[in-house]
Amino acid sequence: MTISWNDAARELDAIVNSFDTDDVSVDELFMKLSRATELIEMLDARLIATKAQVEELSPRLARLTPDE
Amino acid sequence: MLKAGTVVKVTGYADLYTPQGKIGFTVTDLNLEELLGDMARRRLALIAQLTAEHIIGEGAANKSRTLSPVSLRVGVVASAGTEGYADFRGQFDRSPYRFEVYLEQSLVQGEAAPPQIVRAIEKLGALGLDVICIVRGGGSKGDLSCFDDESVARAIAAAATPVWTGIGHTNDVSIADMAAHTMAITPTKLGETLVAQVREWHLARVVAPAQRIAERVQALLDQETAFLAERRRTMTFAVRDRLSGEQRHLRATGQRLALHADYLLANAATSLVSTRQLLAAYDPARRLAQGWALVQTASGAVVRSVEDVAIGGEVDVRLSDGKLRVTITNAERTTP
């Protein structure tokens, strides 16, 4: 099942915060960076897709304005 | 204008023809002011009565009818082909909204008008429309008297549908206007008001929410885009920091190791020098130079005791600059 946006964002936050608070080993560093990159790419792709869908709908919303 | 019961002031003179027994009356002046005054009095009386019955005025029955926020199904009581109706209808045709107009033709002036208007209101009322509009262009006070008719006011009050009036007049408000849910001063104004009402609803309930949705969607997209950009940046910096920290740590460790190695090497060198000095002290060559000799058998074994050799045997005596082959002629053990 695809991870939800909020879950993914929370996981990404946790990884980023761990760099400030935990003592991340170099081995962990790679794993964490790899996961964070994966999450960012996934969120980015989803955002781009959503933007495209919004772009498609925007003119339809704009058409609701009466042309008087 | 003159009907049975109408009061007018007539001035003239009476003639009496006695031979024929006839009485004549010659009218020299007919005072219409009296007539109009009487009409006004009757109108006021009607207004008072209808107000008391809540047919007209503030408490008019039709004013309490619920008006649809989007009155698009419009019943019209008018005379098609008149300027008033065209002006009214034009407002709908020029608007971007699809009004459904149900026209119920009626005379809008003269004595025959009131029953037709009443019938039209009743017919349109039965259709369950959003609003019924009574439309009539401007006219003289006399032309518009049908809208002061009691039956019209009562029909408006009885209608379950809100009745709007757009009756063009310059002076008094008609009784029909008083009975109406809403009155406009002209048919054009009535059309404009209805269109404006729909436009207001459309703007408030469709356009504005659509704009709000679009704005919120954009704000959310911007926010999430910023979130991702920030996380990407933080991630990159954090990793770079962590790696450069690790690199610094490795470099420092290397430097510490190098220092430590230098120290160890220096120590080893010092120790080597002393060992070498110590060894030098034991160097046989040095001893030989001092005059000591090393005695060895032919096989190379070092002779340490007189018992290691036999009389007549040969030994090599090693000196600092060479060796002597010596034959043993005598051997004496020294007493310790």
Side-chain angles (χ1 to χ4, degrees):
Chain A
M1 204 178 80
T2 320
I3 187 170
S4 77
W5 178 279
N6 285 344
D7 286 348
R10 261 197 295 276
E11 193 182 338
L12 184 58
D13 276 342
I15 294 174
V16 172
N17 288 338
S18 74
F19 279 91
D20 293 331
T21 50
D22 302 343
D23 190 16
V24 180
S25 76
V26 175
D27 287 339
E28 282 175 328
L29 182 75
F30 175 73
M31 278 165 56
K32 288 190 169 186
L33 178 62
S34 162
R35 177 63 179 154
T37 306
E38 205 172 87
L39 287 170
I40 289 175
E41 278 174 353
M42 188 264 287
L43 291 176
D44 203 32
R46 218 182 276 184
L47 197 59
I48 287 169
T50 308
K51 276 180 181 171
Q53 285 168 329
V54 168
E55 288 292 309
E56 205 177 294
L57 288 175
S58 293
R60 285 168 58 186
L61 278 179
R63 271 202 295 277
L64 290 172
T65 312
D67 37 328
E68 284 179 279
Chain B
M1 243 183 203
L2 293 172
K3 287 189 231 170
T6 306
V7 178
V8 290
K9 189 177 177 183
V10 178
T11 309
Y13 50 88
D15 295 313
L16 181 65
Y17 297 101
T18 14
Q20 294 168 351
K22 285 184 178 173
I23 296 173
F25 188 84
T26 306
V27 176
T28 56
D29 186 35
L30 178 66
N31 191 337
L32 284 176
E33 274 177 22
E34 283 292 321
L35 168 62
L36 293 175
D38 179 54
M39 283 172 72
R41 265 194 300 282
R42 281 192 289 136
R43 189 173 185 273
L44 282 174
L46 181 59
I47 288 172
Q49 185 196 332
L50 294 177
T51 305
E53 288 181 46
H54 301 297
I55 304 287
I56 62 170
E58 285 302 309
N62 197 263
K63 286 197 197 299
S64 65
R65 306 288 179 252
T66 308
L67 183 73
S68 161
V70 201
S71 300
L72 287 169
R73 294 177 312 133
V74 182
V76 187
V77 180
S79 174
T82 60
E83 210 172 301
Y85 177 68
D87 289 347
F88 173 73
R89 186 63 205 253
Q91 299 305 314
F92 294 164
D93 296 342
R94 278 191 292 280
S95 84
Y97 310 113
R98 282 182 59 182
F99 284 90
E100 283 175 48
V101 178
Y102 299 84
L103 173 66
E104 201 54 52
Q105 289 256 39
S106 166
L107 285 175
V108 284
Q109 72 176 65
E111 282 180 24
Q116 289 193 17
I117 295 171
V118 169
R119 222 174 7 258
I121 292 171
E122 285 169 355
K123 277 180 84 173
L124 291 171
L127 297 180
L129 304 171
D130 295 324
V131 65
I132 296 171
C133 297
I134 302 175
V135 173
R136 163 74 157 88
S140 72
K141 202 167 180 176
D143 285 347
L144 299 173
S145 62
C146 60
F147 296 106
D148 279 339
D149 194 276
E150 181 180 348
S151 64
V152 171
R154 289 192 183 279
I156 291 171
T161 309
V163 176
W164 286 29
T165 53
I167 302 162
H169 37 66
T170 45
N171 300 315
D172 289 347
V173 170
S174 73
I175 292 176
D177 288 327
M178 296 179 202
H181 178 279
T182 302
M183 69 155 282
I185 55 165
T186 58
T188 304
K189 194 75 196 159
L190 180 63
E192 278 174 5
T193 310
L194 274 175
V195 171
Q197 187 207 39
V198 174
R199 185 189 302 114
E200 197 178 308
W201 184 90
H202 182 237
L203 287 174
R205 304 294 294 272
V206 178
V207 177
Q211 281 169 348
R212 271 205 302 281
I213 288 171
E215 281 164 14
R216 282 184 194 173
V217 164
Q218 198 50 53
L220 187 66
L221 286 177
D222 289 349
Q223 177 195 313
E224 294 306 332
T225 305
F227 162 78
L228 273 189
E230 198 274 327
R231 286 293 175 272
R232 190 180 283 134
R233 212 166 32 242
T234 312
M235 203 58 223
T236 310
F237 284 132
V239 169
R240 198 180 294 164
D241 282 358
R242 189 70 193 82
L243 283 177
S244 56
E246 208 58 39
Q247 212 163 19
R248 274 197 303 278
H249 174 69
L250 279 178
R251 202 174 297 139
T253 309
Q255 281 166 351
R256 272 205 307 281
L257 277 176
L259 282 175
H260 194 60
D262 283 350
Y263 172 74
L264 284 178
L265 281 175
N267 267 358
T270 313
S271 143
L272 202 59
V273 168
S274 13
T275 309
R276 193 172 286 147
Q277 283 169 350
L278 194 64
L279 282 174
Y282 293 105
D283 189 358
R286 207 167 152 192
R287 296 287 181 180
L288 295 179
Q290 285 172 350
W292 297 83
L294 182 68
V295 182
Q296 290 174 296
T297 63
S299 63
V302 175
V303 177
R304 298 173 195 276
S305 161
V306 291
E307 286 171 11
D308 290 344
V309 294
I311 301 294
E314 285 184 336
V315 290
D316 287 333
V317 176
R318 197 166 170 175
L319 303 173
S320 66
D321 53 351
K323 64 179 179 183
L324 304 169
R325 171 72 45 92
V326 176
T327 306
I328 308 296
T329 55
N330 186 33
E332 272 178 36
R333 178 178 281 272
T334 51
T335 316

